[in-house]
């Protein structure tokens, strides 16, 4: 299996988008199902954010200083998603704000994924060598085993705090 960093991250995006579509298709009253889906969305986003924040973004910032603004914007977009995930994790699907908050999460993460895939990952592909992208991807594959799966886990919280205070 390829460990190319961009391929690894796009695989994650694909699964996250699939869960988003499942949520959108679920009926108004499918509360149990939507609760389960949001749990999965939160888990997938927590892991993915961890890998990007810990490995991909710092590497890109170092290797391609021209993309610094994109990376900084990305940290902020992840931070917004983190806040929504923390709130959703503590919320019941029958709360009147549950669907609305999930919809805002879906909209903002979809926008963020589009920016990554269409705007700045292509520049990373152009500016960073194949071998180096393989190495970055391999580090993410390795780190995934220990990545936090819930926003309340200390490593996820630390990452959220670092993103704000670094
Ligand atoms: Fe991202
Ligand atoms: Fe991403």
């Amino acid at each position: 299996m390829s460990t190319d960093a961009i391929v690894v991250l796009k695989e994650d995006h694909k699964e996250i988008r699939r869960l988003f579509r499942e949520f959108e298709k679920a009926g108004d009253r499918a509360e149990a199902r939507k609760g389960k889906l949001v749990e999965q969305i939160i888990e997938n986003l927590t892991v993915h954010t961890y890998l990007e924040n810990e490995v991909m973004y710092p590497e890109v910032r170092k290797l391609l200083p021209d993309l610094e603004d994109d990376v900084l914007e990305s940290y902020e977009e992840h931070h917004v998603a983190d806040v929504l995930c923390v709130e959703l994790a503590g919320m019941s699907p029958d709360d009147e704000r549950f669907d609305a908050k999930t919809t805002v999460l879906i909209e903002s993460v979809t926008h963020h994924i589009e920016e990554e895939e269409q705007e700045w990952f292509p520049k990373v592909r152009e500016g960073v060598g194949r071998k180096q992208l393989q190495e970055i991807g391999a580090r993410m594959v390795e780190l995934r085993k220990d990545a936090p799966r819930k926003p309340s886990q200390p490593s996820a919280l630390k990452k959220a705090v670092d993103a704000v205070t670094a």
Side-chain angles (χ1 to χ4, degrees):
M1 203 191 89
S2 167
T3 63
D4 178 279
I6 292 172
V7 174
V8 168
L9 294 173
K10 279 186 168 178
E11 287 288 319
D12 280 6
H13 291 172
K14 210 168 130 193
E15 173 62 9
I16 289 163
R17 281 194 225 242
R18 188 188 68 76
L19 291 166
F20 286 173
R21 282 196 303 272
E22 291 294 315
F23 181 89
E24 286 166 341
K25 276 196 315 211
D28 262 352
R29 286 189 300 277
E31 280 174 2
R33 167 139 182 80
K34 285 193 282 189
K36 253 284 50 60
L37 283 166
V38 167
E39 262 175 42
Q40 286 175 275
I41 288 169
I42 291 172
E43 178 173 333
N44 277 270
L45 286 176
T46 304
V47 173
H48 183 75
T49 298
Y50 188 74
L51 299 182
E52 288 191 335
N53 281 8
E54 293 290 315
V55 181
M56 186 67 171
Y57 294 167
E59 283 297 330
V60 170
R61 199 173 175 181
K62 202 166 63 195
L63 295 167
L64 301 171
D66 281 357
L67 293 186
E68 169 124 279
D69 287 352
D70 294 287
V71 172
L72 289 173
E73 190 182 318
S74 291
Y75 278 123
E76 293 306 319
E77 288 176 345
H78 276 270
H79 173 62
V80 170
D82 284 344
V83 170
L84 294 170
C85 282
V86 167
E87 290 176 349
L88 277 168
M91 205 177 247
S92 158
D94 62 10
D95 189 299
E96 68 167 6
R97 295 171 70 178
F98 186 83
D99 278 11
K101 204 177 281 292
T102 305
T103 300
V104 172
L105 177 69
I106 289 175
E107 282 170 0
S108 83
V109 171
T110 300
H111 160 83
H112 174 74
I113 287 176
E114 276 165 14
E115 276 190 351
E116 288 189 333
E117 293 196 355
Q118 287 158 30
E119 286 171 32
W120 64 272
F121 281 2
K123 296 182 196 156
V124 174
R125 169 75 65 214
E126 221 168 89
V128 180
R130 238 169 62 96
K131 195 163 164 282
Q132 204 149 22
L133 281 173
Q134 291 282 346
E135 283 164 13
I136 296 169
R139 278 175 52 207
M140 290 195 285
V141 170
E142 191 54 34
L143 198 66
R144 188 187 294 277
K145 298 171 194 155
D146 301 317
R149 302 197 174 270
K150 287 198 167 93
S152 56
Q153 277 173 258
S155 46
L157 286 173
K158 179 190 174 296
K159 177 245 344 157
V161 171
D162 286 351
V164 182
T165 58

